[in-house]
Amino acid sequence: ELTKKQTVYGFLIIILISLLCHLPYFSIDLQGHHAWRITQTGWNIRNFVRYDFNIFHPRVSHFNSQFEENLYLFEFPLMQWLIAGVQRITGESIWILRGCMFIISTWGIMGMLRLATFTFRRTIWSLLTTFAFAFGPVYYYYMINPLPDVFALASGIWFIYFALEYYVNNKRLSIFTAAICLAITVLSKLPYIIFTIIPIYYFFTEQLQAKKVLTKQILAAAILL
């Protein structure tokens, strides 16, 4: 079994390797197989920075025939708005944009480490799981590309961790944290609501075992969601 210090060092090595691999591409403009989606997200960020910082006004580079303005309500643009907030302070730069995405992605990898450690305890398997996730082709490629999917997945991983922490260890505060993470996930990318299968499973399991209704917990999570 690994010590806490060894686990932290292992995580830092994974992030450092990933950073060194991604660094040569930080200065390259937005491009790739999903260029249409990446650049659309980039336009949201740019227009938040230059014109309208209202989070309810995600704007693109063309006028939508459905509206009088160039608003495009594709999803709730929380990630775009947060990155734009950073760029309003630091100035616009592809380095800043990709750097913010790398930080968000690292947050997701950290969540995977916590989840894997929760599952395997502090063993080499938790680090191997984290390494496999960090260098899985799809996640690795999109780590520095502005896609809300990355933000939603990162938040979703933390939701799974806090949900399991609540149901397994009965940590009351975790149900609120889990609900907030799930709300962020679903706001950013609606299909990720599939993650709710985890609390639904545990709810019905506890219902069958304990024969009681978890009214307060359900209500608290539902309100936050």
Side-chain angles (χ1 to χ4, degrees):
E1 186 166 316
L2 300 175
T3 64
K4 186 175 182 180
K5 184 178 289 187
Q6 288 172 327
T7 304
V8 171
Y9 285 158
F11 171 74
L12 291 176
I13 289 171
I14 291 171
I15 298 304
L16 181 60
I17 294 173
S18 181
L19 178 61
L20 292 175
C21 290
H22 282 100
L23 208 55
Y25 304 97
F26 268 58
S27 59
I28 296 177
D29 207 355
L30 300 180
Q31 56 185 275
H33 294 295
H34 281 293
W36 68 274
R37 187 65 178 93
I38 295 169
T39 51
Q40 177 180 297
T41 308
W43 275 111
N44 289 159
I45 296 168
R46 175 169 289 183
N47 286 318
F48 276 138
V49 174
R50 295 185 180 182
Y51 306 111
D52 187 355
F53 195 56
N54 187 333
I55 195 170
F56 296 105
H57 293 168
R59 300 178 185 275
V60 290
S61 59
H62 59 82
F63 286 93
N64 193 328
S65 59
Q66 296 178 345
F67 305 100
E68 293 181 359
E69 297 189 88
N70 60 335
L71 299 178
Y72 196 74
L73 310 175
F74 206 62
E75 74 275 311
F76 190 69
L78 179 59
M79 184 194 78
Q80 297 93 306
W81 186 78
L82 290 173
I83 295 175
V86 173
Q87 289 195 344
R88 284 170 72 93
I89 298 171
T90 61
E92 288 184 275
S93 166
I94 190 65
W95 279 83
I96 298 298
L97 175 57
R98 294 197 184 278
C100 287
M101 286 307 306
F102 187 84
I103 291 171
I104 290 170
S105 303
T106 300
W107 177 55
I109 297 172
M110 188 184 299
M112 181 57 72
L113 176 64
R114 293 294 295 271
L115 181 58
T117 302
F118 183 85
T119 306
F120 300 115
R121 305 304 171 190
R122 288 199 191 97
T123 65
I124 190 64
W125 292 107
S126 61
L127 285 178
L128 287 175
T129 301
T130 306
F131 181 87
F133 175 72
F135 289 93
V138 176
Y139 194 82
Y140 175 82
Y141 176 76
Y142 288 112
M143 274 187 72
I144 57 172
N145 286 313
L147 276 178
D149 305 65
V150 177
F151 184 63
L153 179 59
S155 184
I157 292 169
W158 280 102
F159 158 70
I160 296 173
Y161 167 71
F162 285 118
L164 292 178
E165 190 177 53
Y166 168 73
Y167 287 110
V168 176
N169 295 337
N170 200 28
K171 289 190 176 181
R172 298 292 176 181
L173 184 61
S174 294
I175 191 66
F176 296 102
T177 314
I180 292 171
C181 289
L182 180 62
I184 293 172
T185 298
V186 177
L187 272 172
S188 303
K189 203 72 180 178
L190 185 59
Y192 283 77
I193 199 170
I194 192 66
F195 284 172
T196 55
I197 196 67
I198 294 171
I200 289 172
Y201 165 78
Y202 275 100
F203 167 70
F204 281 108
T205 301
E206 290 191 10
Q207 285 287 86
L208 292 172
Q209 291 177 350
K211 304 292 185 182
K212 62 179 181 179
V213 180
L214 306 174
T215 308
K216 292 182 180 178
Q217 292 89 331
I218 296 171
L219 184 61
I223 290 173
L224 283 169
L225 179 59

